[in-house]
PDB file of all heavy atoms in Angstrom:
ATOM      1  N   GLY A   1      69.406  27.778  23.316  1.00  0.00           N
ATOM      2  CA  GLY A   1      68.631  29.007  23.290  1.00  0.00           C
ATOM      3  C   GLY A   1      67.160  28.758  23.053  1.00  0.00           C
ATOM      4  O   GLY A   1      66.692  27.625  22.981  1.00  0.00           O
ATOM      5  N   HIS A   2      66.400  29.865  22.945  1.00  0.00           N
ATOM      6  CA  HIS A   2      64.961  29.791  22.738  1.00  0.00           C
ATOM      7  C   HIS A   2      64.568  30.806  21.674  1.00  0.00           C
ATOM      8  O   HIS A   2      65.404  31.524  21.122  1.00  0.00           O
ATOM      9  CB  HIS A   2      64.205  30.095  24.046  1.00  0.00           C
ATOM     10  CG  HIS A   2      64.635  29.252  25.206  1.00  0.00           C
ATOM     11  ND1 HIS A   2      64.288  27.923  25.321  1.00  0.00           N
ATOM     12  CD2 HIS A   2      65.400  29.543  26.290  1.00  0.00           C
ATOM     13  CE1 HIS A   2      64.805  27.435  26.436  1.00  0.00           C
ATOM     14  NE2 HIS A   2      65.498  28.390  27.040  1.00  0.00           N
ATOM     15  N   GLY A   3      63.279  30.853  21.393  1.00  0.00           N
ATOM     16  CA  GLY A   3      62.751  31.878  20.506  1.00  0.00           C
ATOM     17  C   GLY A   3      62.998  31.609  19.037  1.00  0.00           C
ATOM     18  O   GLY A   3      63.272  30.484  18.609  1.00  0.00           O
ATOM     19  N   ILE A   4      62.904  32.710  18.241  1.00  0.00           N
ATOM     20  CA  ILE A   4      62.986  32.583  16.788  1.00  0.00           C
ATOM     21  C   ILE A   4      64.326  32.023  16.313  1.00  0.00           C
ATOM     22  O   ILE A   4      64.348  31.133  15.452  1.00  0.00           O
ATOM     23  CB  ILE A   4      62.690  33.947  16.124  1.00  0.00           C
ATOM     24  CG1 ILE A   4      61.220  34.329  16.359  1.00  0.00           C
ATOM     25  CG2 ILE A   4      62.978  33.904  14.633  1.00  0.00           C
ATOM     26  CD1 ILE A   4      60.827  35.656  15.784  1.00  0.00           C
ATOM     27  N   PRO A   5      65.502  32.502  16.819  1.00  0.00           N
ATOM     28  CA  PRO A   5      66.769  31.933  16.328  1.00  0.00           C
ATOM     29  C   PRO A   5      66.839  30.415  16.495  1.00  0.00           C
ATOM     30  O   PRO A   5      67.250  29.696  15.589  1.00  0.00           O
ATOM     31  CB  PRO A   5      67.831  32.647  17.175  1.00  0.00           C
ATOM     32  CG  PRO A   5      67.190  33.927  17.592  1.00  0.00           C
ATOM     33  CD  PRO A   5      65.733  33.604  17.789  1.00  0.00           C
ATOM     34  N   ALA A   6      66.399  29.928  17.669  1.00  0.00           N
ATOM     35  CA  ALA A   6      66.439  28.477  17.905  1.00  0.00           C
ATOM     36  C   ALA A   6      65.472  27.757  16.987  1.00  0.00           C
ATOM     37  O   ALA A   6      65.770  26.670  16.472  1.00  0.00           O
ATOM     38  CB  ALA A   6      66.109  28.179  19.369  1.00  0.00           C
ATOM     39  N   SER A   7      64.292  28.355  16.747  1.00  0.00           N
ATOM     40  CA  SER A   7      63.312  27.692  15.879  1.00  0.00           C
ATOM     41  C   SER A   7      63.805  27.627  14.443  1.00  0.00           C
ATOM     42  O   SER A   7      63.537  26.650  13.732  1.00  0.00           O
ATOM     43  CB  SER A   7      61.971  28.426  15.944  1.00  0.00           C
ATOM     44  OG  SER A   7      62.064  29.728  15.381  1.00  0.00           O
ATOM     45  N   VAL A   8      64.539  28.665  13.992  1.00  0.00           N
ATOM     46  CA  VAL A   8      65.089  28.648  12.626  1.00  0.00           C
ATOM     47  C   VAL A   8      66.137  27.544  12.496  1.00  0.00           C
ATOM     48  O   VAL A   8      66.143  26.777  11.521  1.00  0.00           O
ATOM     49  CB  VAL A   8      65.693  30.025  12.271  1.00  0.00           C
ATOM     50  CG1 VAL A   8      66.459  29.936  10.955  1.00  0.00           C
ATOM     51  CG2 VAL A   8      64.595  31.069  12.174  1.00  0.00           C
ATOM     52  N   ILE A   9      67.034  27.446  13.484  1.00  0.00           N
ATOM     53  CA  ILE A   9      68.063  26.401  13.436  1.00  0.00           C
ATOM     54  C   ILE A   9      67.412  25.018  13.503  1.00  0.00           C
ATOM     55  O   ILE A   9      67.845  24.078  12.843  1.00  0.00           O
ATOM     56  CB  ILE A   9      69.073  26.609  14.575  1.00  0.00           C
ATOM     57  CG1 ILE A   9      69.861  27.910  14.341  1.00  0.00           C
ATOM     58  CG2 ILE A   9      70.039  25.429  14.672  1.00  0.00           C
ATOM     59  CD1 ILE A   9      70.822  28.255  15.454  1.00  0.00           C
ATOM     60  N   MET A  10      66.341  24.908  14.284  1.00  0.00           N
ATOM     61  CA  MET A  10      65.616  23.640  14.340  1.00  0.00           C
ATOM     62  C   MET A  10      65.058  23.267  12.977  1.00  0.00           C
ATOM     63  O   MET A  10      65.158  22.117  12.532  1.00  0.00           O
ATOM     64  CB  MET A  10      64.487  23.725  15.368  1.00  0.00           C
ATOM     65  CG  MET A  10      63.702  22.426  15.562  1.00  0.00           C
ATOM     66  SD  MET A  10      62.361  22.181  14.382  1.00  0.00           S
ATOM     67  CE  MET A  10      61.104  23.207  15.109  1.00  0.00           C
ATOM     68  N   ALA A  11      64.475  24.267  12.262  1.00  0.00           N
ATOM     69  CA  ALA A  11      63.917  23.999  10.935  1.00  0.00           C
ATOM     70  C   ALA A  11      65.012  23.579   9.958  1.00  0.00           C
ATOM     71  O   ALA A  11      64.827  22.676   9.133  1.00  0.00           O
ATOM     72  CB  ALA A  11      63.188  25.237  10.408  1.00  0.00           C
ATOM     73  N   ILE A  12      66.187  24.238  10.063  1.00  0.00           N
ATOM     74  CA  ILE A  12      67.322  23.879   9.194  1.00  0.00           C
ATOM     75  C   ILE A  12      67.763  22.443   9.491  1.00  0.00           C
ATOM     76  O   ILE A  12      68.022  21.648   8.575  1.00  0.00           O
ATOM     77  CB  ILE A  12      68.482  24.870   9.385  1.00  0.00           C
ATOM     78  CG1 ILE A  12      68.081  26.263   8.876  1.00  0.00           C
ATOM     79  CG2 ILE A  12      69.742  24.384   8.666  1.00  0.00           C
ATOM     80  CD1 ILE A  12      69.120  27.323   9.162  1.00  0.00           C
ATOM     81  N   THR A  13      67.866  22.104  10.785  1.00  0.00           N
ATOM     82  CA  THR A  13      68.289  20.750  11.169  1.00  0.00           C
ATOM     83  C   THR A  13      67.316  19.707  10.637  1.00  0.00           C
ATOM     84  O   THR A  13      67.718  18.656  10.122  1.00  0.00           O
ATOM     85  CB  THR A  13      68.381  20.641  12.703  1.00  0.00           C
ATOM     86  OG1 THR A  13      69.259  21.653  13.202  1.00  0.00           O
ATOM     87  CG2 THR A  13      68.890  19.273  13.112  1.00  0.00           C
ATOM     88  N   ARG A  14      66.010  19.991  10.745  1.00  0.00           N
ATOM     89  CA  ARG A  14      65.008  19.056  10.236  1.00  0.00           C
ATOM     90  C   ARG A  14      65.169  18.859   8.729  1.00  0.00           C
ATOM     91  O   ARG A  14      65.118  17.726   8.221  1.00  0.00           O
ATOM     92  CB  ARG A  14      63.609  19.573  10.528  1.00  0.00           C
ATOM     93  CG  ARG A  14      62.505  18.702   9.954  1.00  0.00           C
ATOM     94  CD  ARG A  14      61.153  19.400  10.065  1.00  0.00           C
ATOM     95  NE  ARG A  14      60.079  18.534   9.598  1.00  0.00           N
ATOM     96  CZ  ARG A  14      59.719  18.395   8.329  1.00  0.00           C
ATOM     97  NH1 ARG A  14      60.367  19.041   7.376  1.00  0.00           N
ATOM     98  NH2 ARG A  14      58.721  17.597   7.996  1.00  0.00           N
ATOM     99  N   ALA A  15      65.359  19.982   8.000  1.00  0.00           N
ATOM    100  CA  ALA A  15      65.499  19.877   6.546  1.00  0.00           C
ATOM    101  C   ALA A  15      66.727  19.056   6.173  1.00  0.00           C
ATOM    102  O   ALA A  15      66.691  18.230   5.244  1.00  0.00           O
ATOM    103  CB  ALA A  15      65.594  21.275   5.932  1.00  0.00           C
ATOM    104  N   ILE A  16      67.827  19.248   6.911  1.00  0.00           N
ATOM    105  CA  ILE A  16      69.060  18.495   6.626  1.00  0.00           C
ATOM    106  C   ILE A  16      68.838  17.012   6.914  1.00  0.00           C
ATOM    107  O   ILE A  16      69.223  16.145   6.116  1.00  0.00           O
ATOM    108  CB  ILE A  16      70.225  19.046   7.468  1.00  0.00           C
ATOM    109  CG1 ILE A  16      70.581  20.464   7.007  1.00  0.00           C
ATOM    110  CG2 ILE A  16      71.453  18.138   7.355  1.00  0.00           C
ATOM    111  CD1 ILE A  16      71.595  21.149   7.895  1.00  0.00           C
ATOM    112  N   MET A  17      68.203  16.692   8.049  1.00  0.00           N
ATOM    113  CA  MET A  17      67.966  15.291   8.400  1.00  0.00           C
ATOM    114  C   MET A  17      67.139  14.594   7.330  1.00  0.00           C
ATOM    115  O   MET A  17      67.460  13.485   6.895  1.00  0.00           O
ATOM    116  CB  MET A  17      67.231  15.209   9.749  1.00  0.00           C
ATOM    117  CG  MET A  17      68.078  15.506  10.964  1.00  0.00           C
ATOM    118  SD  MET A  17      69.368  14.285  11.273  1.00  0.00           S
ATOM    119  CE  MET A  17      68.398  12.833  11.632  1.00  0.00           C
ATOM    120  N   ARG A  18      66.076  15.239   6.868  1.00  0.00           N
ATOM    121  CA  ARG A  18      65.183  14.584   5.910  1.00  0.00           C
ATOM    122  C   ARG A  18      65.765  14.567   4.498  1.00  0.00           C
ATOM    123  O   ARG A  18      65.395  13.713   3.698  1.00  0.00           O
ATOM    124  CB  ARG A  18      63.818  15.275   5.912  1.00  0.00           C
ATOM    125  CG  ARG A  18      63.010  14.918   7.150  1.00  0.00           C
ATOM    126  CD  ARG A  18      61.613  15.501   7.119  1.00  0.00           C
ATOM    127  NE  ARG A  18      60.786  14.854   8.134  1.00  0.00           N
ATOM    128  CZ  ARG A  18      59.940  13.882   7.891  1.00  0.00           C
ATOM    129  NH1 ARG A  18      59.798  13.413   6.672  1.00  0.00           N
ATOM    130  NH2 ARG A  18      59.217  13.347   8.866  1.00  0.00           N
ATOM    131  N   SER A  19      66.662  15.545   4.180  1.00  0.00           N
ATOM    132  CA  SER A  19      67.193  15.620   2.816  1.00  0.00           C
ATOM    133  C   SER A  19      68.442  14.776   2.623  1.00  0.00           C
ATOM    134  O   SER A  19      68.669  14.237   1.546  1.00  0.00           O
ATOM    135  CB  SER A  19      67.509  17.077   2.456  1.00  0.00           C
ATOM    136  OG  SER A  19      66.345  17.878   2.510  1.00  0.00           O
ATOM    137  N   TYR A  20      69.266  14.639   3.673  1.00  0.00           N
ATOM    138  CA  TYR A  20      70.584  14.042   3.496  1.00  0.00           C
ATOM    139  C   TYR A  20      70.773  12.700   4.191  1.00  0.00           C
ATOM    140  O   TYR A  20      71.719  11.977   3.861  1.00  0.00           O
ATOM    141  CB  TYR A  20      71.671  15.010   3.992  1.00  0.00           C
ATOM    142  CG  TYR A  20      71.841  16.220   3.132  1.00  0.00           C
ATOM    143  CD1 TYR A  20      71.097  17.383   3.378  1.00  0.00           C
ATOM    144  CD2 TYR A  20      72.721  16.217   2.049  1.00  0.00           C
ATOM    145  CE1 TYR A  20      71.245  18.501   2.592  1.00  0.00           C
ATOM    146  CE2 TYR A  20      72.867  17.341   1.252  1.00  0.00           C
ATOM    147  CZ  TYR A  20      72.131  18.482   1.527  1.00  0.00           C
ATOM    148  OH  TYR A  20      72.274  19.590   0.741  1.00  0.00           O
ATOM    149  N   THR A  21      69.918  12.345   5.161  1.00  0.00           N
ATOM    150  CA  THR A  21      70.177  11.098   5.902  1.00  0.00           C
ATOM    151  C   THR A  21      69.212   9.989   5.529  1.00  0.00           C
ATOM    152  O   THR A  21      69.195   8.962   6.194  1.00  0.00           O
ATOM    153  CB  THR A  21      70.099  11.348   7.419  1.00  0.00           C
ATOM    154  OG1 THR A  21      68.752  11.732   7.784  1.00  0.00           O
ATOM    155  CG2 THR A  21      71.049  12.451   7.827  1.00  0.00           C
ATOM    156  N   TYR A  22      68.405  10.181   4.472  1.00  0.00           N
ATOM    157  CA  TYR A  22      67.469   9.127   4.047  1.00  0.00           C
ATOM    158  C   TYR A  22      68.242   7.870   3.644  1.00  0.00           C
ATOM    159  O   TYR A  22      69.197   7.932   2.875  1.00  0.00           O
ATOM    160  CB  TYR A  22      66.626   9.619   2.882  1.00  0.00           C
ATOM    161  CG  TYR A  22      65.671   8.558   2.356  1.00  0.00           C
ATOM    162  CD1 TYR A  22      64.485   8.270   3.015  1.00  0.00           C
ATOM    163  CD2 TYR A  22      65.991   7.821   1.226  1.00  0.00           C
ATOM    164  CE1 TYR A  22      63.625   7.292   2.537  1.00  0.00           C
ATOM    165  CE2 TYR A  22      65.146   6.847   0.738  1.00  0.00           C
ATOM    166  CZ  TYR A  22      63.961   6.577   1.400  1.00  0.00           C
ATOM    167  OH  TYR A  22      63.138   5.606   0.923  1.00  0.00           O
ATOM    168  N   ASP A  23      67.847   6.738   4.190  1.00  0.00           N
ATOM    169  CA  ASP A  23      68.449   5.428   3.923  1.00  0.00           C
ATOM    170  C   ASP A  23      69.864   5.292   4.455  1.00  0.00           C
ATOM    171  O   ASP A  23      70.571   4.371   4.074  1.00  0.00           O
ATOM    172  CB  ASP A  23      68.399   5.090   2.430  1.00  0.00           C
ATOM    173  CG  ASP A  23      67.210   4.195   2.109  1.00  0.00           C
ATOM    174  OD1 ASP A  23      66.388   3.931   2.999  1.00  0.00           O
ATOM    175  OD2 ASP A  23      67.131   3.738   0.958  1.00  0.00           O
ATOM    176  N   ILE A  24      70.329   6.206   5.321  1.00  0.00           N
ATOM    177  CA  ILE A  24      71.602   6.007   6.023  1.00  0.00           C
ATOM    178  C   ILE A  24      71.266   5.281   7.326  1.00  0.00           C
ATOM    179  O   ILE A  24      70.751   5.869   8.277  1.00  0.00           O
ATOM    180  CB  ILE A  24      72.324   7.336   6.303  1.00  0.00           C
ATOM    181  CG1 ILE A  24      72.689   8.026   4.979  1.00  0.00           C
ATOM    182  CG2 ILE A  24      73.572   7.099   7.140  1.00  0.00           C
ATOM    183  CD1 ILE A  24      73.401   9.331   5.157  1.00  0.00           C
ATOM    184  N   VAL A  25      71.511   3.973   7.358  1.00  0.00           N
ATOM    185  CA  VAL A  25      71.056   3.151   8.486  1.00  0.00           C
ATOM    186  C   VAL A  25      72.091   3.103   9.609  1.00  0.00           C
ATOM    187  O   VAL A  25      71.845   2.458  10.623  1.00  0.00           O
ATOM    188  CB  VAL A  25      70.715   1.728   8.011  1.00  0.00           C
ATOM    189  CG1 VAL A  25      69.572   1.760   7.021  1.00  0.00           C
ATOM    190  CG2 VAL A  25      71.926   1.040   7.382  1.00  0.00           C
ATOM    191  N   ALA A  26      73.232   3.770   9.450  1.00  0.00           N
ATOM    192  CA  ALA A  26      74.219   3.876  10.525  1.00  0.00           C
ATOM    193  C   ALA A  26      74.011   5.225  11.206  1.00  0.00           C
ATOM    194  O   ALA A  26      74.225   6.273  10.602  1.00  0.00           O
ATOM    195  CB  ALA A  26      75.645   3.759   9.981  1.00  0.00           C
ATOM    196  N   SER A  27      73.555   5.217  12.468  1.00  0.00           N
ATOM    197  CA  SER A  27      73.221   6.459  13.160  1.00  0.00           C
ATOM    198  C   SER A  27      74.432   7.383  13.301  1.00  0.00           C
ATOM    199  O   SER A  27      74.304   8.604  13.175  1.00  0.00           O
ATOM    200  CB  SER A  27      72.652   6.130  14.530  1.00  0.00           C
ATOM    201  OG  SER A  27      73.535   5.285  15.258  1.00  0.00           O
ATOM    202  N   SER A  28      75.621   6.820  13.562  1.00  0.00           N
ATOM    203  CA  SER A  28      76.808   7.657  13.712  1.00  0.00           C
ATOM    204  C   SER A  28      77.151   8.375  12.402  1.00  0.00           C
ATOM    205  O   SER A  28      77.542   9.547  12.410  1.00  0.00           O
ATOM    206  CB  SER A  28      77.999   6.802  14.167  1.00  0.00           C
ATOM    207  OG  SER A  28      78.250   5.759  13.230  1.00  0.00           O
ATOM    208  N   GLU A  29      76.998   7.670  11.291  1.00  0.00           N
ATOM    209  CA  GLU A  29      77.269   8.285   9.986  1.00  0.00           C
ATOM    210  C   GLU A  29      76.274   9.409   9.698  1.00  0.00           C
ATOM    211  O   GLU A  29      76.638  10.463   9.162  1.00  0.00           O
ATOM    212  CB  GLU A  29      77.191   7.213   8.900  1.00  0.00           C
ATOM    213  CG  GLU A  29      77.523   7.735   7.506  1.00  0.00           C
ATOM    214  CD  GLU A  29      77.429   6.647   6.450  1.00  0.00           C
ATOM    215  OE1 GLU A  29      77.423   5.463   6.842  1.00  0.00           O
ATOM    216  OE2 GLU A  29      77.357   6.985   5.253  1.00  0.00           O
ATOM    217  N   ALA A  30      75.006   9.217  10.068  1.00  0.00           N
ATOM    218  CA  ALA A  30      73.983  10.245   9.841  1.00  0.00           C
ATOM    219  C   ALA A  30      74.301  11.506  10.643  1.00  0.00           C
ATOM    220  O   ALA A  30      74.226  12.626  10.130  1.00  0.00           O
ATOM    221  CB  ALA A  30      72.601   9.701  10.214  1.00  0.00           C
ATOM    222  N   LEU A  31      74.686  11.359  11.934  1.00  0.00           N
ATOM    223  CA  LEU A  31      75.005  12.529  12.756  1.00  0.00           C
ATOM    224  C   LEU A  31      76.246  13.247  12.233  1.00  0.00           C
ATOM    225  O   LEU A  31      76.306  14.480  12.252  1.00  0.00           O
ATOM    226  CB  LEU A  31      75.210  12.112  14.205  1.00  0.00           C
ATOM    227  CG  LEU A  31      73.961  11.675  14.980  1.00  0.00           C
ATOM    228  CD1 LEU A  31      74.271  11.531  16.467  1.00  0.00           C
ATOM    229  CD2 LEU A  31      72.824  12.646  14.784  1.00  0.00           C
ATOM    230  N   ALA A  32      77.237  12.495  11.766  1.00  0.00           N
ATOM    231  CA  ALA A  32      78.438  13.125  11.222  1.00  0.00           C
ATOM    232  C   ALA A  32      78.105  13.969  10.002  1.00  0.00           C
ATOM    233  O   ALA A  32      78.638  15.074   9.823  1.00  0.00           O
ATOM    234  CB  ALA A  32      79.480  12.056  10.876  1.00  0.00           C
ATOM    235  N   MET A  33      77.218  13.469   9.159  1.00  0.00           N
ATOM    236  CA  MET A  33      76.820  14.226   7.965  1.00  0.00           C
ATOM    237  C   MET A  33      76.061  15.495   8.351  1.00  0.00           C
ATOM    238  O   MET A  33      76.315  16.581   7.824  1.00  0.00           O
ATOM    239  CB  MET A  33      75.963  13.355   7.049  1.00  0.00           C
ATOM    240  CG  MET A  33      75.481  14.063   5.798  1.00  0.00           C
ATOM    241  SD  MET A  33      74.572  12.961   4.696  1.00  0.00           S
ATOM    242  CE  MET A  33      75.892  11.880   4.157  1.00  0.00           C
ATOM    243  N   VAL A  34      75.106  15.389   9.288  1.00  0.00           N
ATOM    244  CA  VAL A  34      74.352  16.571   9.723  1.00  0.00           C
ATOM    245  C   VAL A  34      75.287  17.596  10.350  1.00  0.00           C
ATOM    246  O   VAL A  34      75.162  18.805  10.107  1.00  0.00           O
ATOM    247  CB  VAL A  34      73.260  16.148  10.725  1.00  0.00           C
ATOM    248  CG1 VAL A  34      72.568  17.379  11.308  1.00  0.00           C
ATOM    249  CG2 VAL A  34      72.237  15.262  10.050  1.00  0.00           C
ATOM    250  N   ASN A  35      76.254  17.153  11.161  1.00  0.00           N
ATOM    251  CA  ASN A  35      77.200  18.075  11.786  1.00  0.00           C
ATOM    252  C   ASN A  35      78.011  18.831  10.734  1.00  0.00           C
ATOM    253  O   ASN A  35      78.209  20.044  10.844  1.00  0.00           O
ATOM    254  CB  ASN A  35      78.140  17.303  12.715  1.00  0.00           C
ATOM    255  CG  ASN A  35      79.192  18.194  13.345  1.00  0.00           C
ATOM    256  OD1 ASN A  35      78.891  19.083  14.135  1.00  0.00           O
ATOM    257  ND2 ASN A  35      80.440  17.985  12.982  1.00  0.00           N
ATOM    258  N   GLU A  36      78.466  18.118   9.715  1.00  0.00           N
ATOM    259  CA  GLU A  36      79.278  18.759   8.676  1.00  0.00           C
ATOM    260  C   GLU A  36      78.496  19.862   7.963  1.00  0.00           C
ATOM    261  O   GLU A  36      79.006  20.966   7.734  1.00  0.00           O
ATOM    262  CB  GLU A  36      79.744  17.702   7.669  1.00  0.00           C
ATOM    263  CG  GLU A  36      80.604  18.262   6.558  1.00  0.00           C
ATOM    264  CD  GLU A  36      81.055  17.192   5.575  1.00  0.00           C
ATOM    265  OE1 GLU A  36      80.829  16.006   5.883  1.00  0.00           O
ATOM    266  OE2 GLU A  36      81.613  17.544   4.529  1.00  0.00           O
ATOM    267  N   ILE A  37      77.221  19.588   7.619  1.00  0.00           N
ATOM    268  CA  ILE A  37      76.414  20.572   6.898  1.00  0.00           C
ATOM    269  C   ILE A  37      76.062  21.742   7.807  1.00  0.00           C
ATOM    270  O   ILE A  37      76.103  22.910   7.388  1.00  0.00           O
ATOM    271  CB  ILE A  37      75.155  19.903   6.331  1.00  0.00           C
ATOM    272  CG1 ILE A  37      75.553  18.795   5.339  1.00  0.00           C
ATOM    273  CG2 ILE A  37      74.265  20.925   5.629  1.00  0.00           C
ATOM    274  CD1 ILE A  37      74.386  17.981   4.837  1.00  0.00           C
ATOM    275  N   LEU A  38      75.737  21.479   9.074  1.00  0.00           N
ATOM    276  CA  LEU A  38      75.413  22.563   9.997  1.00  0.00           C
ATOM    277  C   LEU A  38      76.624  23.472  10.226  1.00  0.00           C
ATOM    278  O   LEU A  38      76.482  24.693  10.287  1.00  0.00           O
ATOM    279  CB  LEU A  38      74.934  21.990  11.329  1.00  0.00           C
ATOM    280  CG  LEU A  38      73.474  21.509  11.385  1.00  0.00           C
ATOM    281  CD1 LEU A  38      73.176  20.894  12.748  1.00  0.00           C
ATOM    282  CD2 LEU A  38      72.519  22.655  11.124  1.00  0.00           C
ATOM    283  N   CYS A  39      77.807  22.892  10.352  1.00  0.00           N
ATOM    284  CA  CYS A  39      79.017  23.702  10.554  1.00  0.00           C
ATOM    285  C   CYS A  39      79.250  24.651   9.385  1.00  0.00           C
ATOM    286  O   CYS A  39      79.755  25.767   9.560  1.00  0.00           O
ATOM    287  CB  CYS A  39      80.237  22.789  10.751  1.00  0.00           C
ATOM    288  SG  CYS A  39      80.293  21.984  12.380  1.00  0.00           S
ATOM    289  N   ASP A  40      78.892  24.220   8.194  1.00  0.00           N
ATOM    290  CA  ASP A  40      79.078  25.061   7.007  1.00  0.00           C
ATOM    291  C   ASP A  40      78.036  26.157   6.909  1.00  0.00           C
ATOM    292  O   ASP A  40      78.211  27.119   6.146  1.00  0.00           O
ATOM    293  CB  ASP A  40      79.023  24.198   5.735  1.00  0.00           C
ATOM    294  CG  ASP A  40      80.225  23.287   5.612  1.00  0.00           C
ATOM    295  OD1 ASP A  40      81.255  23.579   6.248  1.00  0.00           O
ATOM    296  OD2 ASP A  40      80.131  22.288   4.872  1.00  0.00           O
ATOM    297  N   ASN A  41      76.924  26.051   7.670  1.00  0.00           N
ATOM    298  CA  ASN A  41      75.819  26.971   7.447  1.00  0.00           C
ATOM    299  C   ASN A  41      75.356  27.717   8.700  1.00  0.00           C
ATOM    300  O   ASN A  41      74.513  28.599   8.585  1.00  0.00           O
ATOM    301  CB  ASN A  41      74.631  26.202   6.857  1.00  0.00           C
ATOM    302  CG  ASN A  41      74.930  25.675   5.472  1.00  0.00           C
ATOM    303  OD1 ASN A  41      74.823  26.399   4.497  1.00  0.00           O
ATOM    304  ND2 ASN A  41      75.329  24.409   5.385  1.00  0.00           N
ATOM    305  N   ILE A  42      75.858  27.376   9.872  1.00  0.00           N
ATOM    306  CA  ILE A  42      75.534  28.128  11.088  1.00  0.00           C
ATOM    307  C   ILE A  42      76.766  28.934  11.480  1.00  0.00           C
ATOM    308  O   ILE A  42      77.810  28.366  11.805  1.00  0.00           O
ATOM    309  CB  ILE A  42      75.118  27.182  12.239  1.00  0.00           C
ATOM    310  CG1 ILE A  42      73.842  26.434  11.883  1.00  0.00           C
ATOM    311  CG2 ILE A  42      74.914  27.974  13.526  1.00  0.00           C
ATOM    312  CD1 ILE A  42      73.358  25.495  12.967  1.00  0.00           C
ATOM    313  N   HIS A  43      76.641  30.261  11.422  1.00  0.00           N
ATOM    314  CA  HIS A  43      77.780  31.130  11.708  1.00  0.00           C
ATOM    315  C   HIS A  43      77.551  31.913  13.003  1.00  0.00           C
ATOM    316  O   HIS A  43      77.955  33.067  13.136  1.00  0.00           O
ATOM    317  CB  HIS A  43      78.004  32.081  10.534  1.00  0.00           C
ATOM    318  CG  HIS A  43      78.157  31.375   9.215  1.00  0.00           C
ATOM    319  ND1 HIS A  43      79.270  30.597   8.914  1.00  0.00           N
ATOM    320  CD2 HIS A  43      77.330  31.288   8.148  1.00  0.00           C
ATOM    321  CE1 HIS A  43      79.134  30.087   7.698  1.00  0.00           C
ATOM    322  NE2 HIS A  43      77.955  30.487   7.204  1.00  0.00           N
ATOM    323  N   THR A  44      76.866  31.298  13.936  1.00  0.00           N
ATOM    324  CA  THR A  44      76.649  31.883  15.256  1.00  0.00           C
ATOM    325  C   THR A  44      77.225  30.932  16.295  1.00  0.00           C
ATOM    326  O   THR A  44      77.859  29.928  15.966  1.00  0.00           O
ATOM    327  CB  THR A  44      75.142  32.103  15.504  1.00  0.00           C
ATOM    328  OG1 THR A  44      74.492  30.822  15.545  1.00  0.00           O
ATOM    329  CG2 THR A  44      74.521  32.943  14.391  1.00  0.00           C
TER     330      THR A  44
END
């Protein structure tokens, strides 16, 4: 999508990446963690 909803989800994704994946040097593990948190918080 585009517009404000997409920009809000983008901001949430950025915050999750910077808060939870610091020093996780396995890329697959980092994506799995971001997916888990997004699933718990995106209800669209």
